Amino acid sequence: MTETRTSSETETTAAGTALGRTLGAGDVVLLRGPLGAGKTAFVRGIALGLGCNPDDVSSPTFTIVQEYRGRCLLEHVDLYRLSPVEVDDLALEDLMDAAVLAVEWPDRWSRAPAGATTVTIEWTGESTRRITI
């Protein structure tokens, strides 16, 4: 378990970049934290670490799944608006083999893989966060 403290969106993105450089197809990252904590900024960093264009990354709250291409495909999933039954219908397991899967609001995914990397982002002040991986 590693812990990083950040005080800006740029630093949160950099923390994601460091993790993204270590990931490959088949890896799953579960992102936990309240609304506005920086989960999408962290995924922007993962995208950068995977060689994807970070400017393409936005919250998939309404589209549910967004795909970014780099040295490895990144599937960015936001389950915030879905019930666990609706999440099961997405068949996220089918996306895992060919891509890095980054999942926001993973508590709604009853079949999240046991070996997934969990990232928790917590507010520690007005503009500071603690990121635990």
Side-chain angles (χ1 to χ4, degrees):
M1 186 179 309
T2 62
E3 185 177 295
T4 304
R5 294 187 182 263
T6 64
S7 58
S8 69
E9 183 173 331
T10 300
E11 290 177 3
T12 299
T13 299
T17 302
L19 177 61
R21 288 184 180 130
T22 70
L23 299 173
D27 289 328
V28 177
V29 180
L30 306 176
L31 296 125
R32 301 181 185 282
L35 284 171
K39 294 180 295 294
T40 298
F42 192 88
V43 172
R44 189 170 295 114
I46 291 174
L48 188 59
L50 291 171
C52 306
N53 184 347
D55 295 334
D56 292 341
V57 177
S58 61
S59 178
T61 300
F62 294 101
T63 58
I64 311 301
V65 179
Q66 294 186 132
E67 184 175 281
Y68 311 109
R69 296 194 180 275
R71 70 170 167 81
C72 179
L73 186 64
L74 171 61
E75 299 282 358
H76 181 196
V77 182
D78 187 327
L79 304 177
Y80 180 71
R81 298 188 179 284
L82 301 179
S83 70
V85 171
E86 292 170 316
V87 172
D88 287 345
D89 288 343
L90 288 177
L92 294 175
E93 298 81 10
D94 294 344
L95 300 176
M96 292 189 306
D97 291 337
V100 170
L101 190 62
V103 182
E104 297 187 35
W105 303 98
D107 55 307
R108 290 161 171 82
W109 187 14
S110 62
R111 296 186 303 226
T117 299
T118 299
V119 176
T120 304
I121 304 175
E122 303 169 283
W123 291 99
T124 57
E126 188 173 316
S127 64
T128 57
R129 291 161 181 79
R130 177 179 38 243
I131 301 170
T132 306
I133 301 172

